[in-house]
Amino acid sequence: MQNLKRAFWGMLAALVLLWLLAEPSVSQSATFFALRDRMVQLSGVVAIGCMSVAMILALRPRWPERWLGGLDKMYRLHKWLGIGALVVGIIHWLWAEGPKWAVGWGLMQRPARGPRPIIDNPLEAYLASLRGTAEGVGEWAFYAAVLLIALALIRYFPYRLFYKTHRLLGVVYLVLVFHAVVLIKFSHWISPLGSVMTVLLACGTYAAILVLLRRAGAGRQVKGKITSLQYYPGVRALETEIAVPCGWPGHKPGQFAFATSDASEGAHPYTIASGWHAEQPNITFITKELGDHTSRLRHKLRIGQEVKLEGPYGCFTFDDDCPHQIWIGGGIGITPFVARMKHMALQKETPDWPEGQTIDLFHTTADVDEEALGKLAADARSADVLLHILIDARDGHLTGERIREQVPLWREASIWFCGPPGFGEALKRDFAVRGFPVKDRFHQELFAMR
C-alpha cells in the first residue's frame, strides 16, 4: 500500500511541480481573472494526467506489477486515479464556469478585453481557431466522465453493465485529449511539462484505442475447455476445472486470472485454486455465489464449454524466508491457500520454500459444507499445514488475540491474508499496535477490480 500512495501522490506532486516550473509567475497574478486562468490550466493538467495514467493501467501492463505489489494493487491505484480525475475535473469545471455565473448574477464584473494579439506561429494560430470547439466538446465529455466514473463507483451497479459502460470512458478520454491539446497554454508545450504531457497523452491515447478494440491483455490470453464442475451447496461455491492444452505460461499458487465464459458478460477475475504442472495442464477456479454473475454460473457452465483465460496476475505468492507463515482465509478467500497446499503436496521431494518453514492456516467461514471442509482438511494434511477451522456460529469470530494464542511464535512469522477487506484491515491494525512489522510481513490481497 505504501508504494500505491507514493505513486499516486508522487504523480500529483510531479504534475503540479512541472506546471509551476512552466508558469513561475502564478504568484504574481494581479487580478482574480488572471488567477482563474492559471487555475483552469493547472487543474486541467492534473485531471487529464490522472486520466492518462489510469487509462494506461487499464491495459494491465506487466512492468509496474511487481513494484506496486500485483495487479490487484494496480487496480486500486487505477481507482484512486479515476476518483482523483473526477475531483480535480470538478474543480477545473468550477474554475471555468463559476466566474461566468458570478458575472451573470451581477456578483462580479468581467474586466474589459483589449484586442487579441496577432499570432505568428501557424500551429498556435490553428489551435486557437479550434478553441471554441474544444471548450464545447470538453464540457460534454466532462459530464459523461462524471456519470461513467460515478457508475463505476456504485458497487450495486451490475458488473455486466459496468463492463460495457466503463469502456466508454475510452471515447470520453479521446475527446478530452483533443480538449487538452487545444487548450493547454501553447508555451507550455516547449517546457518539461509539455514533454511529460506529450508522453502521457500519446500513451493514454494508445491505451484507449486498445481498450475500445477489446485488446487489453490480449497477449496473455489462451483458450481452455471445461473438464469438470462440482457444486458445494453448503457454501454456495462452484469448483470448475479447465484444461489449457497450450499457451498458458504457468502460474504460482496465489495468482489469479481473468476468465470469459460469456462475451456479453466480459472477463471476470478469479483466484486460481490449483498449482501448475506442465504435464497436467489444468487450472481450477472456485467461485462463490456473491452476485448476479456468479449466482448464474452453475446453471450456465457445462462440461466441454470453451472459455478464454488471461493471466496469470498477482504477487500474493507466499515468497519469503520467514521460519513460519500464518495464513488467514476468510470465506472464499481460502482459495489461494488451497492452491498453495496442492502445490506443496506435489513438491515435497523438491520444495521451493525455506527448509523447516511451518504454516498455520486459519479458515473462518459463516457457511458450512462438510465435503468442502473435508477436502480442505485433506489438502492441509498432504501439505503438512496445521489447519484451524472457525465456523462463525459455533466458534465466534477470528481475532488477532486468538491467532496469537494458537501461534506462540507469531512475532517471527509472516501473515498472508485473503478475505473481506475490512476484516483484513482490522487484523493489520491489531497486529501493528503489538509491534508486528505489518509493512514488511503482513500481505493482503485487495481482490476488488472496480
Side-chain angles (χ1 to χ4, degrees):
M1 288 295 289
Q2 290 298 319
N3 284 348
L4 290 190
K5 294 176 182 178
R6 291 190 189 104
F8 179 73
W9 292 112
M11 192 207 74
L12 293 183
L15 288 174
V16 172
L17 179 60
L18 287 169
W19 183 85
L20 288 172
L21 292 174
E23 194 67 50
S25 62
V26 62
S27 61
Q28 302 171 10
S29 302
T31 67
F32 171 81
F33 278 91
L35 176 64
R36 173 246 191 182
D37 291 342
R38 287 171 171 81
M39 291 300 100
V40 167
Q41 286 284 316
L42 173 58
S43 56
V45 163
V46 174
I48 195 65
C50 286
M51 284 198 73
S52 297
V53 178
M55 193 60 65
I56 294 167
L57 293 180
L59 291 183
R60 303 190 277 274
R62 291 173 180 265
W63 51 269
E65 189 175 2
R66 176 61 60 179
W67 184 74
L68 291 174
L71 184 64
D72 55 319
K73 313 299 191 302
M74 284 170 56
Y75 264 78
R76 177 66 63 92
L77 178 58
H78 172 85
K79 180 178 180 179
W80 289 356
L81 289 167
I83 295 172
L86 176 62
V87 172
V88 181
I90 292 173
I91 294 171
H92 175 75
W93 176 71
L94 289 173
W95 270 111
E97 300 298 324
K100 297 179 185 178
W101 301 334
V103 170
W105 296 333
L107 301 177
M108 299 180 66
Q109 185 174 358
R110 185 187 297 275
R113 285 183 177 176
R116 291 185 178 275
I118 297 174
I119 302 176
D120 295 325
N121 186 306
L123 177 57
E124 184 179 0
Y126 175 69
L127 293 176
S129 71
L130 297 174
R131 187 177 185 88
T133 302
E135 289 176 344
V137 298
E139 182 176 357
W140 285 106
F142 163 74
Y143 298 144
V146 170
L147 175 62
L148 293 172
I149 294 174
L151 288 176
L153 296 174
I154 299 173
R155 298 187 62 85
Y156 295 104
F157 187 63
Y159 186 92
R160 66 182 184 279
L161 298 180
F162 160 79
Y163 166 73
K164 295 173 181 177
T165 59
H166 203 57
R167 288 175 55 245
L168 295 176
L169 277 169
V171 177
V172 172
Y173 173 78
L174 293 176
V175 174
L176 291 174
V177 167
F178 167 71
H179 174 83
V181 168
V182 172
L183 296 178
I184 287 179
K185 193 175 180 179
F186 190 76
S187 62
H188 290 174
W189 289 111
I190 58 174
S191 70
L193 172 65
S195 300
V196 170
M197 293 306 298
T198 297
V199 172
L200 287 179
L201 294 178
C203 293
T205 297
Y206 173 74
I209 292 171
L210 289 186
V211 167
L212 290 170
L213 295 176
R214 300 188 180 184
R215 299 296 296 168
R220 304 176 80 171
Q221 294 175 356
V222 301
K223 291 183 178 179
K225 188 172 291 186
I226 297 174
T227 57
S228 71
L229 296 164
Q230 182 169 1
Y231 182 67
Y232 300 97
V235 290
R236 296 178 294 113
L238 177 68
E239 182 178 279
T240 306
E241 185 175 281
I242 301 170
V244 282
C246 60
W248 188 253
H251 62 268
K252 291 183 176 182
Q255 291 189 299
F256 65 92
F258 288 88
T260 305
S261 57
D262 183 346
S264 66
E265 286 276 359
H268 288 253
Y270 304 109
T271 299
I272 300 170
S274 57
W276 174 251
H277 307 282
E279 64 277 9
Q280 296 178 331
N282 297 318
I283 293 176
T284 300
F285 296 113
I286 300 176
T287 53
K288 188 176 178 65
E289 296 177 353
L290 296 174
D292 56 342
H293 173 72
T294 49
S295 297
R296 296 195 302 269
L297 279 180
R298 67 187 177 104
H299 303 293
K300 296 180 66 174
L301 299 184
R302 63 186 186 280
I303 293 176
Q305 180 178 346
E306 187 176 272
V307 296
K308 182 168 63 178
L309 302 178
E310 178 194 328
Y313 294 105
C315 299
F316 192 83
T317 51
F318 307 96
D319 300 321
D320 67 37
D321 57 359
C322 292
H324 193 78
Q325 289 187 343
I326 299 171
W327 299 350
I328 306 166
I332 195 60
I334 193 64
T335 308
F337 307 112
V338 171
R340 179 65 171 177
M341 289 189 295
K342 290 182 181 297
H343 170 80
M344 293 176 69
L346 290 172
Q347 293 291 121
K348 274 189 175 181
E349 299 302 320
T350 56
D352 55 2
W353 56 91
E355 183 178 358
Q357 187 180 70
T358 56
I359 298 163
D360 279 83
L361 168 58
F362 293 84
H363 176 47
T364 175
T365 177
D367 303 316
V368 180
D369 187 288
E370 294 301 336
E371 184 177 4
L373 291 178
K375 284 189 173 183
L376 180 64
D379 286 335
R381 286 193 298 272
S382 298
D384 295 327
V385 169
L386 183 59
L387 176 63
H388 311 263
I389 295 178
L390 290 91
I391 299 170
D392 292 353
R394 182 190 70 194
D395 305 305
H397 295 294
L398 180 64
T399 64
E401 188 61 35
R402 296 182 75 165
I403 294 172
R404 289 187 289 273
E405 288 175 357
Q406 295 292 322
V407 187
L409 299 178
W410 60 272
R411 292 186 183 277
E412 303 171 13
S414 60
I415 298 176
W416 298 79
F417 175 89
C418 186
F423 179 30
E425 290 300 321
L427 285 177
K428 182 187 292 186
R429 290 192 299 270
D430 182 87
F431 274 90
V433 298
R434 285 159 179 80
F436 187 83
V438 295
K439 180 179 177 181
D440 299 318
R441 287 196 269 140
F442 192 105
H443 307 275
Q444 180 177 2
E445 189 171 51
L446 304 176
F447 206 69
M449 299 296 151
R450 55 175 294 192

